[in-house]
Protein backbone atom coordinates (compact mmCIF):
# COMPACT_ATOMS: atom_id res chain seq x y z
CA UNK A 1 0.00 0.00 0.00
CA UNK A 2 2.90 2.37 0.64
CA UNK A 3 4.05 2.17 -2.96
CA UNK A 4 2.83 5.40 -4.60
CA UNK A 5 0.78 6.41 -1.54
CA UNK A 6 1.60 8.58 1.49
CA UNK A 7 1.76 6.96 4.94
CA UNK A 8 -0.92 9.23 6.42
CA UNK A 9 -3.32 8.33 3.61
CA UNK A 10 -2.64 4.60 3.90
CA UNK A 11 -3.35 4.06 7.60
CA UNK A 12 -7.18 3.95 7.51
CA UNK A 13 -7.13 1.75 4.39
CA UNK A 14 -4.56 -0.57 5.99
CA UNK A 15 -6.61 -0.97 9.17
CA UNK A 16 -9.82 -1.63 7.25
CA UNK A 17 -8.12 -4.05 4.85
CA UNK A 18 -6.61 -6.12 7.67
CA UNK A 19 -9.91 -6.29 9.53
CA UNK A 20 -11.46 -7.86 6.44
CA UNK A 21 -8.41 -9.93 5.38
CA UNK A 22 -6.54 -10.71 8.61
CA UNK A 23 -4.29 -13.37 7.10
CA UNK A 24 -3.02 -14.59 3.76
CA UNK A 25 -5.51 -17.47 3.64
CA UNK A 26 -8.49 -15.15 3.99
CA UNK A 27 -7.09 -12.92 1.28
CA UNK A 28 -6.44 -15.85 -1.05
CA UNK A 29 -10.00 -17.14 -0.68
CA UNK A 30 -11.62 -13.76 -1.34
CA UNK A 31 -13.01 -12.70 -4.69
CA UNK A 32 -10.95 -10.19 -6.60
CA UNK A 33 -13.92 -7.83 -6.73
CA UNK A 34 -14.03 -7.67 -2.94
CA UNK A 35 -10.29 -7.10 -2.68
CA UNK A 36 -10.61 -4.22 -5.14
CA UNK A 37 -13.54 -2.82 -3.17
CA UNK A 38 -11.45 -2.64 0.01
CA UNK A 39 -8.58 -1.12 -1.97
CA UNK A 40 -10.83 1.44 -3.63
CA UNK A 41 -9.46 4.96 -3.19
CA UNK A 42 -5.78 4.02 -3.04
CA UNK A 43 -5.32 3.99 -6.81
CA UNK A 44 -2.85 1.93 -8.85
CA UNK A 45 -5.18 -1.05 -8.63
CA UNK A 46 -2.70 -3.42 -10.26
CA UNK A 47 -1.07 -3.51 -6.80
CA UNK A 48 -4.26 -4.98 -5.31
CA UNK A 49 -4.63 -7.48 -8.14
CA UNK A 50 -1.02 -8.58 -7.71
CA UNK A 51 -1.38 -8.79 -3.93
CA UNK A 52 -4.41 -11.03 -4.32
CA UNK A 53 -2.66 -13.22 -6.90
CA UNK A 54 0.45 -13.46 -4.69
CA UNK A 55 -1.68 -14.56 -1.73
CA UNK A 56 -3.15 -17.35 -3.83
CA UNK A 57 0.33 -18.50 -4.85
CA UNK A 58 1.64 -18.34 -1.27
CA UNK A 59 -1.24 -20.52 -0.06
CA UNK A 60 -1.07 -22.96 -2.96
CA UNK A 61 2.71 -23.35 -3.27
CA UNK A 62 4.29 -22.20 0.01
CA UNK A 63 1.98 -23.55 2.73
CA UNK A 64 0.64 -20.09 3.53
CA UNK A 65 4.04 -18.54 4.35
CA UNK A 66 5.92 -15.90 2.41
CA UNK A 67 8.87 -17.81 0.91
CA UNK A 68 12.28 -17.26 2.49
CA UNK A 69 14.15 -17.83 -0.76
CA UNK A 70 14.85 -14.75 -2.89
CA UNK A 71 14.17 -16.51 -6.19
CA UNK A 72 10.85 -17.85 -4.94
CA UNK A 73 9.88 -14.43 -3.59
CA UNK A 74 10.68 -12.77 -6.92
CA UNK A 75 8.42 -15.25 -8.70
CA UNK A 76 5.36 -13.96 -6.82
CA UNK A 77 3.07 -11.58 -8.76
CA UNK A 78 3.94 -7.95 -8.12
CA UNK A 79 7.09 -8.68 -6.11
CA UNK A 80 10.21 -6.96 -7.41
CA UNK A 81 13.76 -6.70 -6.09
CA UNK A 82 13.02 -4.00 -3.53
CA UNK A 83 9.85 -5.56 -2.09
CA UNK A 84 11.47 -9.00 -1.90
CA UNK A 85 14.53 -7.63 -0.11
CA UNK A 86 12.40 -5.58 2.28
CA UNK A 87 10.14 -8.48 3.26
CA UNK A 88 12.91 -11.07 3.55
CA UNK A 89 15.24 -8.82 5.54
CA UNK A 90 12.61 -7.38 7.88
CA UNK A 91 10.62 -10.57 8.43
CA UNK A 92 13.42 -13.14 8.34
CA UNK A 93 16.61 -11.05 8.83
CA UNK A 94 17.93 -12.29 5.50
CA UNK A 95 21.08 -10.28 4.55
CA UNK A 96 19.56 -8.42 1.64
CA UNK A 97 19.98 -4.67 1.16
CA UNK A 98 16.96 -2.55 0.26
CA UNK A 99 16.98 0.39 -2.11
CA UNK A 100 13.92 2.59 -2.31
CA UNK A 101 13.65 6.34 -2.86
CA UNK A 102 14.45 7.21 0.74
CA UNK A 103 17.49 4.93 0.96
CA UNK A 104 18.75 6.05 -2.45
CA UNK A 105 18.60 9.69 -1.32
CA UNK A 106 20.59 8.92 1.85
CA UNK A 107 23.27 7.01 -0.07
CA UNK A 108 23.45 9.60 -2.86
CA UNK A 109 24.06 12.40 -0.37
CA UNK A 110 26.49 10.28 1.60
CA UNK A 111 28.61 9.80 -1.52
CA UNK A 112 27.73 13.10 -3.27
CA UNK A 113 26.26 11.23 -6.22
CA UNK A 114 24.99 13.72 -8.79
CA UNK A 115 22.46 13.34 -11.59
CA UNK A 116 19.24 11.38 -11.92
CA UNK A 117 19.37 8.54 -9.41
CA UNK A 118 16.88 6.46 -11.40
CA UNK A 119 19.09 5.93 -14.41
CA UNK A 120 19.94 2.21 -14.60
CA UNK A 121 23.67 2.78 -14.16
CA UNK A 122 23.33 5.02 -11.10
CA UNK A 123 20.63 2.86 -9.50
CA UNK A 124 22.80 -0.25 -9.93
CA UNK A 125 25.74 1.58 -8.37
CA UNK A 126 23.61 2.67 -5.39
CA UNK A 127 22.35 -0.89 -4.92
CA UNK A 128 25.98 -2.07 -4.83
CA UNK A 129 26.74 0.57 -2.19
CA UNK A 130 23.70 -0.47 -0.14
CA UNK A 131 24.88 -4.07 -0.25
CA UNK A 132 28.43 -3.12 0.80
CA UNK A 133 27.19 -1.11 3.79
CA UNK A 134 24.59 -3.65 4.93
CA UNK A 135 24.95 -4.87 8.51
CA UNK A 136 24.56 -8.53 7.61
CA UNK A 137 23.95 -9.76 11.14
CA UNK A 138 21.19 -7.18 11.68
CA UNK A 139 19.68 -6.68 8.24
CA UNK A 140 16.17 -5.99 9.57
CA UNK A 141 17.24 -3.18 11.89
CA UNK A 142 19.73 -1.77 9.38
CA UNK A 143 17.30 -1.55 6.47
CA UNK A 144 14.52 -0.09 8.59
CA UNK A 145 16.95 2.46 10.06
CA UNK A 146 18.08 3.62 6.61
CA UNK A 147 14.49 3.90 5.36
CA UNK A 148 13.48 5.83 8.48
CA UNK A 149 16.50 8.12 8.19
CA UNK A 150 15.46 9.05 4.67
CA UNK A 151 11.82 9.44 5.66
CA UNK A 152 12.30 11.66 8.71
CA UNK A 153 15.77 13.29 8.63
CA UNK A 154 17.38 13.12 5.19
CA UNK A 155 14.24 14.47 3.55
CA UNK A 156 13.97 15.68 -0.06
CA UNK A 157 13.73 19.34 0.97
CA UNK A 158 15.33 20.95 4.02
CA UNK A 159 17.10 17.89 5.41
CA UNK A 160 17.85 18.05 9.14
CA UNK A 161 21.59 17.64 8.85
CA UNK A 162 22.21 18.84 12.42
CA UNK A 163 20.20 15.89 13.72
CA UNK A 164 21.64 13.34 11.30
CA UNK A 165 23.81 10.63 12.92
CA UNK A 166 25.98 10.27 9.82
CA UNK A 167 26.34 13.92 8.79
CA UNK A 168 30.09 13.89 9.58
CA UNK A 169 30.56 11.22 6.91
CA UNK A 170 28.24 12.88 4.37
CA UNK A 171 30.06 14.30 1.35
CA UNK A 172 27.04 16.27 0.15
CA UNK A 173 26.80 17.96 3.56
CA UNK A 174 30.50 18.74 3.58
CA UNK A 175 30.33 20.21 0.07
CA UNK A 176 27.09 22.13 0.64
CA UNK A 177 25.21 20.05 -1.93
CA UNK A 178 22.32 18.67 0.14
CA UNK A 179 19.79 20.84 -1.71
CA UNK A 180 21.18 19.80 -5.10
CA UNK A 181 21.35 16.05 -4.46
CA UNK A 182 19.45 14.19 -5.66
CA UNK A 183 18.77 16.04 -8.90
CA UNK A 184 15.08 16.59 -9.68
CA UNK A 185 13.59 13.80 -11.77
CA UNK A 186 12.49 14.66 -15.27
CA UNK A 187 8.73 14.58 -15.36
CA UNK A 188 6.67 13.49 -18.32
CA UNK A 189 4.79 16.30 -20.01
CA UNK A 190 1.28 16.76 -18.64
CA UNK A 191 -1.60 15.66 -20.85
CA UNK A 192 -5.04 17.23 -20.51
CA UNK A 193 -7.93 14.81 -20.92
CA UNK A 194 -11.70 15.35 -20.91
CA UNK A 195 -14.01 12.47 -20.04
CA UNK A 196 -17.79 12.72 -20.36
CA UNK A 197 -19.81 10.23 -18.33
CA UNK A 198 -23.52 9.38 -18.21
CA UNK A 199 -25.27 8.77 -14.90
CA UNK A 200 -28.45 6.94 -15.86
CA UNK A 201 -31.29 7.14 -13.34
CA UNK A 202 -34.66 5.46 -13.71
CA UNK A 203 -37.80 6.15 -11.60
CA UNK A 204 -36.68 3.51 -9.07
CA UNK A 205 -33.37 5.32 -8.55
CA UNK A 206 -31.36 2.64 -10.34
CA UNK A 207 -28.34 3.28 -12.50
CA UNK A 208 -26.01 1.41 -14.85
CA UNK A 209 -22.32 0.67 -14.34
CA UNK A 210 -20.15 -0.88 -17.02
CA UNK A 211 -16.58 -1.97 -17.68
CA UNK A 212 -15.59 -0.21 -20.86
CA UNK A 213 -11.84 0.47 -21.23
CA UNK A 214 -12.22 0.75 -24.99
CA UNK A 215 -13.94 4.13 -24.73
CA UNK A 216 -10.96 5.89 -23.14
CA UNK A 217 -7.61 5.24 -21.51
CA UNK A 218 -8.22 2.19 -19.28
CA UNK A 219 -6.00 3.72 -16.56
CA UNK A 220 -8.54 6.42 -15.78
CA UNK A 221 -11.05 4.04 -14.21
CA UNK A 222 -8.58 1.27 -13.38
CA UNK A 223 -10.59 -1.38 -15.29
CA UNK A 224 -13.21 -1.26 -12.54
CA UNK A 225 -16.98 -0.62 -12.60
CA UNK A 226 -17.78 2.83 -13.92
CA UNK A 227 -20.48 4.96 -15.50
CA UNK A 228 -20.61 4.76 -19.31
CA UNK A 229 -17.95 7.24 -20.43
CA UNK A 230 -15.95 8.40 -23.39
CA UNK A 231 -13.04 10.74 -24.03
CA UNK A 232 -14.33 13.91 -25.70
CA UNK A 233 -12.81 16.79 -27.63
CA UNK A 234 -15.20 19.59 -28.62
CA UNK A 235 -18.86 18.87 -27.78
CA UNK A 236 -19.10 16.60 -24.72
CA UNK A 237 -22.89 16.14 -24.79
CA UNK A 238 -23.03 15.25 -28.48
CA UNK A 239 -20.01 12.95 -28.34
CA UNK A 240 -21.32 11.18 -25.25
CA UNK A 241 -24.73 10.69 -26.85
CA UNK A 242 -23.07 9.08 -29.88
CA UNK A 243 -21.09 6.80 -27.62
CA UNK A 244 -24.21 5.73 -25.70
CA UNK A 245 -26.02 5.00 -28.96
CA UNK A 246 -23.08 2.93 -30.28
CA UNK A 247 -22.56 0.91 -27.10
CA UNK A 248 -25.99 0.75 -25.46
CA UNK A 249 -28.35 1.40 -28.35
CA UNK A 250 -29.90 4.49 -26.73
CA UNK A 251 -31.81 7.07 -28.76
CA UNK A 252 -33.05 10.51 -27.80
CA UNK A 253 -31.72 10.44 -24.24
CA UNK A 254 -31.64 13.91 -22.71
CA UNK A 255 -28.32 14.60 -21.04
CA UNK A 256 -28.32 17.17 -18.24
CA UNK A 257 -24.88 18.63 -17.57
CA UNK A 258 -23.72 18.37 -13.96
CA UNK A 259 -20.85 20.15 -12.19
CA UNK A 260 -17.50 19.05 -13.57
CA UNK A 261 -14.72 17.66 -11.40
CA UNK A 262 -10.96 17.45 -11.58
CA UNK A 263 -9.00 14.24 -11.35
CA UNK A 264 -5.29 13.46 -11.60
CA UNK A 265 -3.78 10.18 -12.81
CA UNK A 266 0.02 10.03 -13.19
CA UNK A 267 0.82 12.59 -15.91
CA UNK A 268 -2.80 13.25 -16.85
CA UNK A 269 -4.93 16.20 -15.79
CA UNK A 270 -8.46 14.90 -16.21
CA UNK A 271 -11.61 16.96 -16.41
CA UNK A 272 -14.62 14.80 -15.55
CA UNK A 273 -17.83 15.96 -17.26
CA UNK A 274 -20.82 14.17 -15.71
CA UNK A 275 -24.26 14.16 -17.35
CA UNK A 276 -27.48 12.99 -15.75
CA UNK A 277 -29.66 10.86 -18.01
CA UNK A 278 -33.18 10.60 -16.57
CA UNK A 279 -34.90 7.66 -18.24
CA UNK A 280 -38.16 5.78 -17.80
CA UNK A 281 -36.30 2.58 -18.51
CA UNK A 282 -32.61 1.75 -18.45
CA UNK A 283 -31.14 0.65 -21.80
CA UNK A 284 -32.69 -2.62 -22.93
CA UNK A 285 -29.33 -4.40 -22.97
CA UNK A 286 -28.17 -2.93 -19.65
CA UNK A 287 -28.18 -6.32 -17.95
CA UNK A 288 -25.82 -7.82 -20.51
CA UNK A 289 -23.62 -4.75 -20.81
CA UNK A 290 -23.06 -4.11 -17.13
CA UNK A 291 -24.59 -4.00 -13.66
CA UNK A 292 -27.91 -2.44 -12.73
CA UNK A 293 -28.17 -1.34 -9.12
CA UNK A 294 -29.48 1.50 -6.95
CA UNK A 295 -27.51 4.66 -7.56
CA UNK A 296 -26.99 5.09 -3.81
CA UNK A 297 -25.44 1.62 -3.61
CA UNK A 298 -22.72 1.81 -6.25
CA UNK A 299 -20.03 1.63 -3.54
CA UNK A 300 -20.98 -2.03 -3.10
CA UNK A 301 -18.96 -2.66 -6.26
CA UNK A 302 -15.26 -1.92 -6.71
CA UNK A 303 -15.13 1.58 -8.18
CA UNK A 304 -12.32 4.07 -8.62
CA UNK A 305 -12.08 7.51 -7.05
CA UNK A 306 -12.89 9.01 -10.45
CA UNK A 307 -16.24 7.20 -10.46
CA UNK A 308 -16.87 8.43 -6.91
CA UNK A 309 -16.24 11.99 -8.05
CA UNK A 310 -18.68 11.61 -10.93
CA UNK A 311 -21.35 10.24 -8.59
CA UNK A 312 -20.73 13.10 -6.14
CA UNK A 313 -21.74 15.62 -8.83
CA UNK A 314 -25.38 14.72 -8.08
CA UNK A 315 -25.14 15.95 -4.48
Amino acid sequence: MLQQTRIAAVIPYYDRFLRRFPDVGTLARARQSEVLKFWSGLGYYSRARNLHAAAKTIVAEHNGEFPRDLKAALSLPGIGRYTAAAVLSIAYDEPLAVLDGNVARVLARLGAVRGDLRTPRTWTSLLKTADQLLARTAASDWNQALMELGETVCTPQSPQCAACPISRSCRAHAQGLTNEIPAPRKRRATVNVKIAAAIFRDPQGRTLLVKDPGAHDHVLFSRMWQFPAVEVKRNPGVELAKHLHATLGTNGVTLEALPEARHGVTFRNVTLLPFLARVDHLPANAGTKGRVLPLKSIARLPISSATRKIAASLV
Side-chain angles (χ1 to χ4, degrees), residues 158-311:
S158 304
Q160 301 174 51
C161 297
C164 180
I166 59 172
S167 60
R168 291 184 180 181
S169 303
C170 180
R171 293 179 62 188
H173 177 59
Q175 298 172 26
L177 297 174
T178 52
N179 289 325
E180 298 177 31
I181 296 175
R185 294 184 66 184
K186 294 181 179 179
R187 296 186 177 274
R188 184 170 176 175
T190 300
V191 175
N192 295 315
V193 179
K194 292 182 179 180
I195 298 290
I199 305 176
F200 283 95
R201 186 165 66 185
D202 70 6
Q204 288 75 46
R206 298 180 303 171
T207 193
L208 171 66
L209 296 184
V210 299
K211 286 186 176 179
D212 190 12
H216 45 71
D217 188 330
H218 72 274
V219 172
L220 298 178
F221 295 96
S222 305
R223 293 180 291 156
M224 299 168 76
W225 291 105
Q226 62 173 84
F227 296 106
V230 65
E231 184 175 351
V232 296
K233 300 298 183 183
R234 292 185 176 84
N235 194 322
V238 172
E239 293 171 54
L240 178 59
K242 289 181 179 179
H243 173 70
L244 297 176
H245 174 71
T247 58
L248 296 172
T250 59
N251 284 304
V253 175
T254 300
L255 297 173
E256 175 186 337
L258 298 170
E260 65 182 47
R262 301 291 180 181
H263 185 63
V265 181
T266 60
F267 58 89
R268 305 167 185 81
N269 284 333
V270 184
T271 301
L272 299 172
L273 303 169
F275 288 82
L276 176 61
R278 304 176 192 268
V279 293
D280 293 331
H281 303 282
L282 293 172
N285 57 357
T288 59
K289 288 289 186 177
R291 293 287 295 274
V292 174
L293 72 168
L295 184 56
K296 63 182 180 181
S297 302
I298 62 170
R300 294 190 320 210
L301 297 178
I303 58 175
S304 69
S305 56
T307 297
R308 293 179 189 275
K309 290 178 181 180
I310 292 170

Side-chain angles (χ1 to χ4, degrees), residues 143-164:
N143 283 334
Q144 291 184 79
L146 270 183
M147 290 189 282
E148 189 73 4
L149 183 65
E151 173 72 25
T152 62
V153 177
C154 194
T155 50
Q157 282 81 41
S158 304
Q160 301 174 51
C161 297
C164 180

Side-chain angles (χ1 to χ4, degrees), residues 48-113:
R49 294 183 177 98
N50 284 332
L51 180 64
H52 186 220
K56 288 179 175 293
T57 301
I58 289 170
V59 169
E61 299 179 13
H62 302 286
N63 298 317
E65 279 196 5
F66 196 95
R68 293 173 179 258
D69 176 69
L70 178 59
K71 184 177 180 180
L74 290 172
S75 71
L76 296 173
I79 301 295
R81 176 62 176 74
Y82 162 70
T83 303
V87 173
L88 293 178
S89 65
I90 293 172
Y92 302 137
D93 234 357
E94 289 292 325
L96 295 167
V98 300
L99 187 67
D100 66 355
N102 286 324
V103 175
R105 183 169 58 254
V106 171
L107 297 182
R109 284 175 174 160
L110 191 65
V113 178

Side-chain angles (χ1 to χ4, degrees), residues 4 101 115-119 123 180 182-188:
Q4 310 293 337
D116 185 353
L117 303 186
R118 294 282 178 171
T119 61
W123 196 258
E180 298 177 31
R185 294 184 66 184
K186 294 181 179 179
R187 296 186 177 274
R188 184 170 176 175

